[in-house]
Amino acid sequence: MTMADEEFRAGLLAAMQRALPGVERIDGLRRLSAGATLQTWSFDAVAPDRTWPLILRRSPGGLRAARTLSLPDEAALVRALRAAGAPVAEVVYTVQPEDALGDGFVMIRIPGETIPRKILRDAEFDSVRGALVGQLARAAAKIHATDPATVPADLRVAGPRGMVDEFRGRYEAYGVPRPVLELAFRWLDDHLPAEPARPHLVHGDFRHGNVIVGPGDGLRAVLDWEIAHLGDPVEDLAWLCLPPWRFGNLDLPAGGLGTREALVQAYEAAAGTQVDPARLRFWEMMGSMRWAVGCAGMLEWFRSGRDRTVERAMIARRVSESEMDLMRLICGSA
Amino acid sequence: MLDQPNPDEVLEVVAQMLREQFAPQLPGSAAFHARVAANAIDLVRRQIAAGERLEQASLARLRALLGHDGDADALERELCERIRDRSLDASTPGLLDHLMASTLAKMSIDQPAYASYRRALKEHPGLDPN
């Protein structure tokens, strides 16, 4: 271990000793994600009479992309959601300045699977797959029903108009002409729904990969709240239906698990509101636009040296998959 | 003048080595990156094989659609401006076909296994880039 590793480990132990009673050591410390600005670590905090399985989300320098929630704000949001009864992890500690660990928070580690292809294909999930669409719909309804006033975090407001404008601005800043995106922006302008009567809490990245699923019981927790915002709840339902998250099950739009109708029916029953199909369609188009512009932005990350990796280069070449999905929506075949 | 094996043959075995020899022996995240690298090499092979032909076909469609000559980049920018100012739209003859054909051409290089692409090929058999 390097000096920095030793300091980090010692700092984490000291923080856990302040956070949890009787902690004597930390075991099994390992890094789960390799992101430069956001790290995820898994470890156990061990006391003589019990062990806490834990996850640390940490940003060493405290620097994050401008659109994302700070980690202390994310921790506050997850705590508020748990108090409201939403399926989220239990946050046990928010990293303090005196911990010298940067920004971060610690939550109870939840066992289960997040890898989409395993959830969609492996036999051990056969029995829960049928129930998952309903569970996701009810989780979404719970999230959207959470009173924003109870969330002690600085959440940005982004409804239909704001989202179109934001991504048009990002696309234009890249300076690469993309006729399919131009046509899709005209479509979005022409099909812009009314702003929601009041802004709801929206997860913003509600899809496979960000949910933990257990083999016996299905949905256990919704993760990764960093782009949560206040806006239109239908955005989350549409994002779950984006073709790239169907993993080959093209005719089962709801995460490759079920139909749009099944998702919407379960959501309407749980939320007590109606979902306008035209609004859902707008947000599916907006979702594919968001994914297209996000991937298009990776060219700059790659070329500038910010992340000059094969993986980044390949993500930059994924703009076309969203252009494919946008074209199918425009032609009315998706 | 240049000798054999040709680039495609060399790249084919590099991808094969990454996927079949390296990935199974590497720990989780390194194995993942080895497979990503193999996929990247396959993408480059497809572009070497078909890229020039697909670019030329796109240029011919752009010239027909806009009614004048020009280089690909300038015509692409003009097309964007005309969609933006609505002088061309989805009802313009040839516009949707051109954009669909260009998108199918990109996908045939970038991600030919993507489910939406496979479906779109069936929906638009006349625009198949292959």
Side-chain angles (χ1 to χ4, degrees), chain A residues 2 15 30 37 43-44 48 78 95 108 134 186 202 209 216 240 244 247 271 289 297 313 333:
Chain A
T2 66
R30 64 192 178 99
T37 56
F43 65 102
D44 292 336
V78 173
V95 171
I108 299 289
R186 294 298 81 76
V202 174
L240 180 65
F247 297 90
M289 176 63 83
S333 53

Side-chain angles (χ1 to χ4, degrees), chain A residues 182 320-321 323 325 328, chain B residues 84 110-111 114 116 123:
Chain A
E182 294 286 352
S320 52
E321 86 179 28
E323 291 179 334
D325 292 325
R328 291 191 72 238
Chain B
R84 185 179 297 221
D110 292 345
Q111 251 195 106
Y114 189 61
S116 300
E123 290 161 350

Side-chain angles (χ1 to χ4, degrees), chain A residues 20-24 45-52:
Chain A
L20 301 165
V23 170
E24 291 181 338
V46 182
D49 55 340
R50 67 170 292 188
T51 295
W52 288 268

Side-chain angles (χ1 to χ4, degrees), chain B residues 78-130:
Chain B
E78 181 183 337
L79 179 59
C80 282
E81 280 160 26
R82 295 196 56 187
I83 294 170
R84 185 179 297 221
D85 71 15
R86 295 183 187 266
S87 61
L88 295 177
D89 63 23
S91 68
T92 305
L95 181 76
L96 284 182
D97 272 0
H98 165 66
L99 295 179
M100 182 61 81
S102 297
T103 305
L104 292 171
K106 285 188 190 189
M107 288 300 287
S108 72
I109 306 283
D110 292 345
Q111 251 195 106
Y114 189 61
S116 300
Y117 168 67
R118 308 308 307 177
R119 184 66 57 84
L121 281 180
K122 287 187 190 140
E123 290 161 350
H124 305 272
L127 303 177
D128 191 333
N130 299 300

Side-chain angles (χ1 to χ4, degrees), chain A residues 270-309:
Chain A
T273 57
Q274 298 291 302
V275 175
D276 173 8
R279 185 178 288 269
L280 185 64
R281 199 166 182 78
F282 166 85
W283 279 111
E284 287 190 36
M285 186 76 84
M286 185 59 232
S288 283
M289 176 63 83
R290 208 181 115 191
W291 183 228
V293 172
C295 291
M298 296 302 102
L299 179 63
E300 198 274 332
W301 282 44
F302 177 75
R303 287 203 168 145
S304 69
R306 179 173 176 182
D307 186 19
R308 201 168 173 83
T309 59

Side-chain angles (χ1 to χ4, degrees), chain A residues 128-151:
Chain A
V128 298
R129 228 169 274 132
L132 257 178
V133 170
Q135 291 176 330
L136 288 164
R138 286 187 289 280
K142 196 70 161 173
I143 292 161
H144 301 154
T146 301
D147 181 359
T150 66
V151 178

